[in-house]
Amino acid sequence: MRKVLLIILLCLVTLAFSFSIGYSKEIHIAVIGKSVHPYWAEVELGVKKAAQDLGIKATFFVPQKEDIPAQLAQIESFIAMGVDGIAVAPSDPTAIAPAIEKAMAKGIPVITLDTDAPQSKRLVYIGTDNYSAGKTAGEVMAQLLGIRGGKVAIGTGSLTAMNSLERMKGFMDGIAKNKRIVVVTKPALCDFEDTGRAVTLAEQELLTYPDLKGFFGVYAINGPAAAKAIKSAGKTGQVLVVCFDTTPEHMQYIKEGAIAATVGQRPYMMGYKSVEVLYKMATNGVDATLKDLPSNRIIDTGVDVVVADPYAKAIKGIPVNNVEQYRKKLLDLGIPVEGW
Ligand code: BGC
């Protein structure tokens, strides 16, 4: 009789255990980017890889182009779904703050990636140090244009996102030493992350300033858009493009010399680390996770400057890579290289 009771008890325990496993909620992390673009496809790759490594679910969303209401609506819908953590790249840090606060109040940890909202209740920022990277871009432009200086245009995808504003501020400080550089776009040309519009704006600028010497592309969209416009105007080499990011299109233009230099961010790492940090928060708790992170709550994913061969010698005092050195660096960092 005792034996039978023991067996029944064992069966019940096993049943309860398998029930608890079967019904334990799968961790679900949500990531919200800024636009449909190969740059964001790299972020998504990192997001998906982290989810696979951790055995959890991750959902990635981007609006078609810069769209602040769409980002807000997506946060609301992730809150309603009861996700375990949200990483967002706010196109407008002020507009996003109440939505971040709402998620946090419901116990959903929120972090920012790619572009920050430091005045909000976000817990951590993961991405580039945009002021310093913008300053590097400015210093590169100043050196490339040399003592003759010249007119420079700036094209961006946002006039509200912090990464755009910080890069432009850094760029202005970076070129400041070269008194002969005149920035002709005040405010910067803005395409709201619409690729077609970015090309049109660059084309118009070339017509307005036939003596333009440089173009600073703030977002991933802008460098290739400027290179395209410059190429079709037959002005490659006359107007130098310094920009951000290293999508396959950028790398092709670098190889051709139509982009002189670019500041490569690490979007794959931004995606990977965002999921990793939110997973830790969901499993170990927010405080325990924060304890292991830098006290300023910023994870700087780093940048690399990539230069087209003809321009490498003109740059002094800034570490630069050619295409092959850059490829090696990415692979050493465990970042997949695809399409170039
Ligand atoms: C920026 C992103 C932007 C992307 C595409 C990148 O340089 O960091 O914020 O969405 O370009 O325009």
Side-chain angles (χ1 to χ4, degrees):
M1 183 64 186
R2 279 183 100 189
K3 234 184 182 175
V4 175
L5 272 178
L6 205 70
I7 289 170
I8 292 176
L9 198 72
L10 257 175
C11 287
L12 281 176
V13 170
T14 318
L15 201 70
F17 186 64
S18 48
F19 240 84
S20 82
I21 288 185
Y23 285 90
S24 76
K25 197 180 143 264
E26 186 186 23
I27 290 179
H28 183 188
I29 303 298
V31 181
I32 303 174
K34 292 171 68 228
S35 59
V36 174
H37 191 273
Y39 173 89
W40 285 103
E42 284 181 44
V43 175
E44 185 176 10
L45 215 62
V47 164
K48 292 281 151 70
K49 180 67 169 70
Q52 187 194 345
D53 289 352
L54 297 165
I56 61 169
K57 180 175 172 188
T59 305
F60 182 78
F61 168 84
V62 273
Q64 191 60 36
K65 54 189 212 65
E66 178 170 268
D67 190 338
I68 298 157
Q71 285 192 324
L72 296 180
Q74 197 57 49
I75 294 192
E76 290 293 340
S77 110
F78 283 136
I79 295 174
M81 282 163 73
V83 297
D84 299 290
I86 300 173
V88 59
S91 286
D92 182 336
T94 312
I96 207 98
I100 293 182
E101 191 164 348
K102 184 170 172 186
M104 292 286 299
K106 298 223 178 235
I108 303 173
V110 181
I111 65 172
T112 48
L113 81 159
D114 174 66
T115 181
D116 201 5
Q119 311 301 336
S120 73
K121 291 217 156 36
R122 65 91 174 126
L123 295 162
V124 177
Y125 163 66
I126 300 178
T128 298
D129 176 341
N130 285 292
Y131 172 79
S132 134
K135 192 164 179 207
T136 302
E139 286 164 357
V140 168
M141 180 70 91
Q143 294 195 25
L144 290 179
L145 294 187
I147 45 166
R148 271 185 280 160
K151 291 181 184 155
V152 169
I154 301 180
T156 186
S158 180
L159 296 176
T160 45
M162 240 183 103
N163 58 354
S164 166
L165 301 179
E166 286 187 330
R167 282 176 207 175
M168 291 194 280
K169 189 163 181 281
F171 181 81
M172 295 307 287
D173 290 347
I175 57 169
K177 272 193 224 141
N178 189 334
K179 300 283 177 233
R180 295 203 169 190
I181 292 182
V182 182
V183 172
V184 291
T185 42
K186 283 178 185 160
L189 308 168
C190 185
D191 51 65
F192 303 100
E193 302 208 38
D194 176 332
T195 309
R197 178 126 188 82
V199 177
T200 308
L201 288 172
E203 282 167 352
Q204 286 168 356
E205 207 59 6
L206 290 174
L207 293 175
T208 312
Y209 299 100
D211 55 346
L212 199 71
K213 290 282 180 269
F215 194 104
F216 173 41
V218 177
Y219 272 1
I221 285 178
N222 305 109
K228 191 173 183 189
I230 291 164
K231 237 179 114 172
S232 43
K235 289 190 156 183
T236 306
Q238 283 172 51
V239 187
L240 302 189
V241 178
V242 174
C243 59
F244 266 73
D245 302 309
T246 50
T247 67
E249 200 183 6
H250 286 79
M251 300 316 279
Q252 184 53 39
Y253 281 129
I254 290 254
K255 286 178 191 166
E256 292 174 18
I259 288 177
T262 192
V263 179
Q265 302 190 84
R266 299 193 182 137
Y268 177 87
M269 297 291 254
M270 294 182 204
Y272 195 100
K273 282 185 191 288
S274 293
V275 173
E276 197 176 46
V277 166
L278 288 169
Y279 169 78
K280 282 188 186 153
M281 286 178 174
T283 49
N284 302 342
V286 168
D287 291 341
T289 307
L290 289 177
K291 234 184 267 164
D292 290 339
L293 296 180
S295 57
N296 64 1
R297 297 186 175 191
I298 290 176
I299 299 178
D300 182 350
T301 42
V303 294
D304 303 286
V305 179
V306 190
V307 179
D309 289 337
Y311 301 101
K313 281 212 186 87
I315 300 169
K316 306 259 181 289
I318 299 167
V320 296
N321 304 266
N322 65 24
V323 172
E324 284 318 311
Q325 289 164 334
Y326 180 57
R327 180 195 306 279
K328 184 167 183 312
K329 198 162 205 178
L330 291 184
L331 294 173
D332 286 349
L333 286 167
I335 299 175
V337 174
E338 274 166 27
W340 53 275

